[in-house]
Amino acid sequence: MNMVLSLALFFSLFSAIQAFACPNGTISIPGQHLCVVPVPQAANYNNAIRECDRLGGGVVKIESVFENAILFGILESSFNGSAAYIGVEKSANGKWVYSDGSPLNYTNWAAGQPSTGYCAQIDPSSTKWKSLDCSTSLPYFCGVDGNKFQCPDGWVYSPDTDFCYYLQNFTTPDSIHWQLYNWTTAELNCQKMGSHLASIHSKAENNFIFNLIYYRGPTSSNASPNNCDYSRAWIGLYGNAQIGNSNLWSDGTFIDFRDPSTSAITSAQYWAAHSGACLSYSHWDSFASDAPPNASRYVCKKDSLYRSGRA
């Protein structure tokens, strides 16, 4: 038993350092673009299939002893030690197959199993599989192609927040100066893409946006008449940056975080995140007007496919 748990821990840690990252609340399967979604709400097998399909996947397939060990480790942490459905079922011709109809290439049946029933569970006391009636209500695992959790082309995914971010790319309509936008136009452009200018709710998210701007800057400093304009981008804050007091970001969320190097002000202004590429430190800038020359790139933010499907 200790060996099984050790395997689960090892592969969980191994998956955490892979370049591919599953969203928070899901588990990576090493070597695959597969994210396992533990669903603790008990359901019969047909309802489990429907929910996994809604997320863009299926009841999880177990194709190796290592995957079996990983899922077994989740039973205690996510399901309070309950058994859980796996994506193994008895077909009409009497053969046991995966939930997508493909043949089994790995099995871990307990002694005397499978017996009655057309569905399968993983037993929390032994790591073994047992058959059962499909009308039984159990927690279950969904297996979803990790690519379906990522963002549309041109957007960047943050596993820390489960959101997608879009940094407006540089264009040079006159072949000399970079195209920049006022805050109002930037927000409208984000809305056209089903998003809003980015709201920021933590230090990690703040640093993510600073880095997004910094590492996607132009190779030339002729960004505008003011060559510092290229190193900042509008965020979704029009106000005084006071935390609480019913202040809202443009996406309707409350202001519960402010950049540590930024002070609240008395009047409502337009805000941008400054990456520090031009100055010596990253911070938020505020502007009384968003009219030229106060123009910038912008960062949009919207739900990842996983977050929107889970909501």
Side-chain angles (χ1 to χ4, degrees):
M1 187 69 67
N2 289 337
M3 180 178 293
V4 171
L5 292 175
S6 296
L7 283 170
L9 177 60
F10 171 79
F11 280 95
S12 295
L13 292 173
F14 176 80
S15 66
I17 62 174
Q18 302 305 298
F20 171 76
C22 287
N24 290 341
T26 71
I27 295 91
S28 298
I29 296 295
Q32 302 182 37
H33 273 217
L34 181 69
C35 300
V36 175
V37 184
V39 183
Q41 294 79 20
N44 63 41
Y45 188 68
N46 284 338
N47 286 337
I49 290 175
R50 292 190 188 97
E51 176 61 16
C52 292
D53 181 70
R54 188 181 72 84
L55 291 174
V59 183
V60 74
K61 298 163 58 174
I62 300 178
E63 300 185 272
S64 70
V65 63
F66 306 115
E67 293 175 14
N68 198 78
I70 290 171
L71 296 187
F72 175 76
I74 300 171
L75 293 179
E76 184 64 37
S77 60
S78 297
F79 299 156
N80 294 319
S82 169
Y85 277 121
I86 56 176
V88 174
E89 59 190 55
K90 191 175 182 180
S91 65
N93 64 10
K95 292 184 177 180
W96 286 87
V97 297
Y98 288 119
S99 55
D100 61 5
S102 59
L104 300 179
N105 54 27
Y106 167 79
T107 62
N108 191 37
W109 295 110
Q113 296 289 328
S115 56
T116 59
Y118 282 74
C119 291
Q121 62 179 317
I122 183 170
D123 180 19
S125 65
S126 66
T127 78
K128 298 293 185 179
W129 303 356
K130 295 181 178 179
S131 61
L132 76 163
D133 190 284
C134 299
S135 64
T136 305
S137 290
L138 286 178
Y140 53 95
F141 304 98
C142 297
V144 183
D145 182 347
N147 291 319
K148 295 183 178 180
F149 284 141
Q150 306 307 306
C151 304
D153 289 344
W155 293 71
V156 180
Y157 176 71
S158 168
D160 289 326
T161 64
D162 292 348
F163 280 96
C164 299
Y165 300 82
Y166 173 86
L167 178 64
Q168 178 258 327
N169 291 324
F170 284 106
T171 56
T172 54
D174 61 2
S175 300
I176 299 175
H177 301 105
W178 301 107
Q179 178 69 53
L180 303 173
Y181 297 82
N182 63 30
W183 188 96
T184 303
T185 301
E187 171 64 19
L188 289 174
N189 287 346
C190 290
Q191 290 181 20
K192 291 176 182 177
M193 295 187 287
S195 63
H196 291 276
L197 286 172
S199 58
I200 302 174
H201 298 281
S202 68
K203 180 180 179 181
E205 187 170 26
N206 198 40
N207 289 337
F208 177 87
I209 288 177
F210 282 146
N211 288 333
L212 188 68
I213 301 167
Y214 184 88
Y215 290 109
R216 286 168 174 78
T219 56
S220 169
S221 62
N222 64 339
S224 72
N226 175 0
N227 64 10
C228 280
D229 289 347
Y230 72 87
S231 61
R232 67 172 182 249
W234 294 119
I235 55 177
L237 178 56
Y238 172 71
N240 58 16
Q242 291 280 0
I243 294 176
N245 297 327
S246 300
N247 289 312
L248 299 176
W249 293 88
S250 61
D251 62 8
T253 56
F254 285 101
I255 297 175
D256 53 6
F257 173 86
R258 185 174 63 240
D259 178 66
S261 63
T262 301
S263 299
I265 56 178
T266 57
S267 60
Q269 296 198 9
Y270 302 91
W271 292 82
H274 199 298
S275 69
C278 179
L279 302 177
S280 60
Y281 64 99
S282 300
H283 62 284
W284 294 359
D285 280 332
S286 63
F287 301 89
S289 168
D290 71 342
N294 297 328
S296 298
R297 291 195 289 169
Y298 55 88
V299 180
C300 305
K301 172 183 174 181
K302 69 177 178 179
D303 288 346
S304 67
L305 295 178
Y306 171 63
R307 175 177 284 274
S308 60
R310 181 180 56 186

